[in-house]
Amino acid sequence: MTSNGRLKISGGRGVKAAFLAGALTLALGTGTAFAYWATNGSGSGSAATGDMQTVTVDALVPGDTPTSMLIPGGTADVVLRVTNPNPYPVQVYSVMGDGPVTADTAHPACTTTGVTFAGSPGPLSPSVSIPANSTALVTLPGAAGMDATSQPACQGATFHLPVTLAVRK
């Protein structure tokens, strides 16, 4: 330090160059750090949802024969022909009755069928999946019952059980 209180740097150009280089590095480093933390960005994105097409239940066709027969006081399997028109598989979650059980048109005197449908309000067990764009038979073991009120005119009838399916993707 000099007598007038000023700091004296000696050494000539080398010291001045080093000092300037250090100051420049510090300034550039601060600018880079500021640029790193202060950057902004923007962009856009999009998504779309699709609607599930209606999964249908159709009457059985010849060849879709149930494996058990319904008799008064007994139960039998219910077989459903389920069509999935969607481009992805669906899981049949539940099957519930949706109206009165009726006999086929060949048995018009069968007005009291005595037939009930034991639906499945919760998840089917085992679970049933219907592949994309396909039709499959779904068997519900013992889901139809017939009590003693069934009329003799119902013998040999095929019963129509209206049902509603709940399906999930």
Side-chain angles (χ1 to χ4, degrees), residues 39-138:
T39 58
N40 292 320
S42 64
S44 63
S46 65
T49 60
D51 292 327
M52 179 185 284
Q53 295 180 44
T54 302
V55 174
T56 59
V57 180
D58 297 312
L60 299 183
V61 297
D64 294 344
T65 358
T67 57
S68 59
M69 302 302 280
L70 190 58
I71 59 170
T75 62
D77 297 346
V78 172
V79 180
L80 308 172
R81 176 176 275 279
V82 182
T83 301
N84 175 17
N86 294 290
Y88 47 81
V90 296
Q91 178 189 11
V92 178
Y93 181 77
S94 65
V95 181
M96 295 299 298
D98 192 21
V101 176
T102 58
D104 60 31
T105 56
H107 295 82
C110 178
T111 55
T112 303
T113 66
V115 176
T116 57
F117 176 70
S120 166
L124 291 181
S125 180
S127 65
V128 176
S129 289
I130 310 298
N133 300 307
S134 66
T135 297
L137 295 179
V138 175

Side-chain angles (χ1 to χ4, degrees), residues 9 11-21:
I9 299 177
R13 276 187 169 179
V15 173
K16 287 181 184 177
F19 178 74
L20 286 173

